[in-house]
Amino acid sequence: KCPCPVWLDDSNHIDEYTKIAAAVDAGDLYPDEELAIRRDINLQIIEMATSLAINERAELHIIVAYMGDVMERYRDNLHTILDEALEAMKEDERKSLNIQIHMTEGIARRAISSKVNEVGVDLLVMGTVARTSIPGFIMGNTAETIQNQIKSSLLAIKPETFETPVMLEDD
């Protein structure tokens, strides 16, 4: 329920990142308000991951998990989000990016972690809203599950609208 991004280094911390991944939710079967929140956090994820990839001169891997026959629709949704994020960048920065897109079928928490490990990602950037349950109290259910399954560092970010329920006590 932390109000700021959380960066968790893996136990085999490295000094440079050569492969950075962004896990993006390209789903569109949410109520309008939820779609707007997910769009915003997807943009934040891509902006953070692209910034880090440019800074580290790393490959940028965009990972989208899907189930069933929605791959093409999710791919179209991803390109809409990606185009919007890249449009805000300088042309030389866009050209310096080596972007690889991975559409992976399966439940997000399994499909994303599997792809991260398969590709050999050093840092995964993903969103979390930390809504419910004990594991979700720290980071968020999907992010927490993925963090436990990957061999890389994780940067979990919250939507700008996220309000933490944790209150600081006055001294």
Side-chain angles (χ1 to χ4, degrees), residues 11-82:
S11 59
N12 301 312
H13 177 73
I14 56 174
D15 291 330
E16 68 178 315
Y17 298 100
T18 59
K19 295 180 181 179
I20 296 173
V24 176
D25 181 354
D28 55 7
L29 297 178
Y30 302 104
D32 290 344
E33 184 176 320
E34 182 74 14
L35 274 175
I37 292 168
R38 288 175 185 269
R39 178 196 157 277
D40 290 347
I41 198 165
N42 281 329
L43 287 171
Q44 285 179 257
I45 292 164
I46 292 170
E47 288 166 1
M48 182 67 71
T50 56
S51 176
L52 290 165
I54 289 167
N55 188 55
E56 296 288 321
R57 293 183 173 92
E59 294 175 5
L60 176 60
H61 296 262
I62 309 287
I63 302 171
V64 174
Y66 70 94
M67 294 186 67
D69 59 355
V70 298
M71 185 180 82
E72 290 304 317
R73 193 172 83 231
Y74 275 37
R75 184 186 312 272
D76 291 344
N77 293 344
L78 170 64
H79 283 288
T80 299
I81 297 163
L82 191 55

